[in-house]
Structure formats: structure tokens, C-alpha cells
Amino acid sequence: MLTGPQNLAENLLQVRRRIETAARAAGRDPASVTLIGVSKAQPASAVRAAVAAGLTDLGENYVQEAVEKIGQVAIATVTWHFIGALQSNKTREVAESFQWVHTVDRLKIAKRLSEQRPHFAPPLQVCLQVNIGAEDTKSGAQPGALGELARAVAELPRLRLRGLMCIPPPEDDAGRQRHWFAQIRRLRDELNAAGHALDALSMGMSGDFELAIAEGATHVRVGTAIFGTRS
Ligand SMILES: *Cc1c(COP(=O)(O)O)cnc(C)c1O
């Protein structure tokens, strides 16, 4: 399915309404939820249309594709979020082109990002990805390793540790889905009780962002519901 500019603006409006409804139902200010439009596999033209329709934050998964697209889109006001698996040989491009990285899951990657962040740029905002369902197929730090990782990442000079990110296992049941989001929120609260000041919870995608907002998501990553299905 192709999504033209008109559909795109309409989709964006629908998603914003859903965010607003979910936030209010949870007693939260809708402005406390940042909508990240996930534009992987979408052309620069779709990204520009989305920005023209008011989207300010974009998420990309693949370094090569993203760096090209960021250059093509060339809108300085966009905040770019890296949300894909990150290999150590690609950290420099990410440190140079993005404002946020949501998928830091080991110290080696964090150290490289800190060393390679350009000195003229503000610190790179980072979330630690947690493999909350302990799935073999997914990246992310194990919950038990989080305390040590957070302590080390927080000391890196060119990074600013903001919070946690997860992609929970898919569940048919809303209650079970929500339980994973609640677990991430608890892990964040534990880290804050240990002295951190983490304000970000990056969780929720097209199919489940309302549940994530109910559990405190501050950044929802929405692709399909805005841009249509990816080819
Ligand atoms: C692709 C992707 C999304 C968006 O998924 P949709 O279901 O299209 O909304 C969100 N987060 C991550 C990490 C992704 O890879």
C-alpha cells in the first residue's frame, strides 16, 4: 500500500488523537509523549511530507539507509533517533548523524559513541535497550546486567543517559502485553532509586502504543500507522 501525502497527514492526525486519548486516560499530559515516526524503508519524499504535516521526530533502523536519507531530507529542525541494531563498525556514522540512540545494549558500543560524538555537537542522548522477554532473537541488555551498564554509560562524557527502550515479545492478550511495559517502567524506577535520573521510556509501536502510554512511555515509535505498510 502506498501512502500519499494526503493519507499521511490524515494518518498522522489519527495517531496523534490516539496518543492524546491514551495519555488522558492515564492521567498524563499528551505533550509528555513524543511521537517518533519510524521511516525505515520509506523514501525521503514521504519523510518530507510527514515533517510538513507537523512530525518533528523520526526513527531509522539501518545506518546506510538512514545517513543517505538524512542528507536527502536536509531539514535541520528534525530530531533523528537511531532505533536499529548497532554494530561497532557503524558507530561513527550514528554518532555524527543522530541526536538520539535508543539501542545501546553494551558498554563497548557506548564508549565508541562517546568517543566519536563530534565536539561541536551536544551530547548524544541515549537509551539502554533491554531484552525484557529474554528472547534469543532480540538484542538488548538482560535486566540483571542493567545496573552495571547504566553506571558505566552514565560516566561517559559525550553521552547523556536518558532512559530505557524495549521491544517486548508479541502477545495476543493486552494485559500480558501491558505487563512487559510495566516491567520496563519498574526497572527504570529501580535505576532512579539507585541514583540515576532517567526520564525516558521508549516503548510502544503501531500495534501497542496505547498500552505503553498507560505504563509511562515517553517516546512511542510508530511506523506503519503513519507511513503505511513497508514494501
Ligand atoms: C520498525 C520498528 C518500529 C515501528 O514499527 P511499526 O509496527 O511499523 O509501528 C518501532 N520500533 C522499532 C525498533 C522498529 O524496528
Side-chain angles (χ1 to χ4, degrees), residues 145-168:
L146 216 48
E148 200 180 325
L149 181 61
R151 235 183 346 266
V153 170
E155 296 198 341
L156 295 171
R158 301 292 294 137
L159 303 187
R160 181 149 168 241
L161 181 58
R162 293 295 297 274
L164 303 179
M165 177 272 202
C166 71
I167 312 170

Side-chain angles (χ1 to χ4, degrees), residues 124-165:
L124 189 59
Q125 312 293 304
V126 302
C127 290
L128 303 179
Q129 181 175 0
V130 186
N131 189 351
I132 192 70
E135 295 169 282
D136 291 340
T137 52
K138 283 193 187 137
S139 33
Q142 299 306 318
L146 216 48
E148 200 180 325
L149 181 61
R151 235 183 346 266
V153 170
E155 296 198 341
L156 295 171
R158 301 292 294 137
L159 303 187
R160 181 149 168 241
L161 181 58
R162 293 295 297 274
L164 303 179
M165 177 272 202

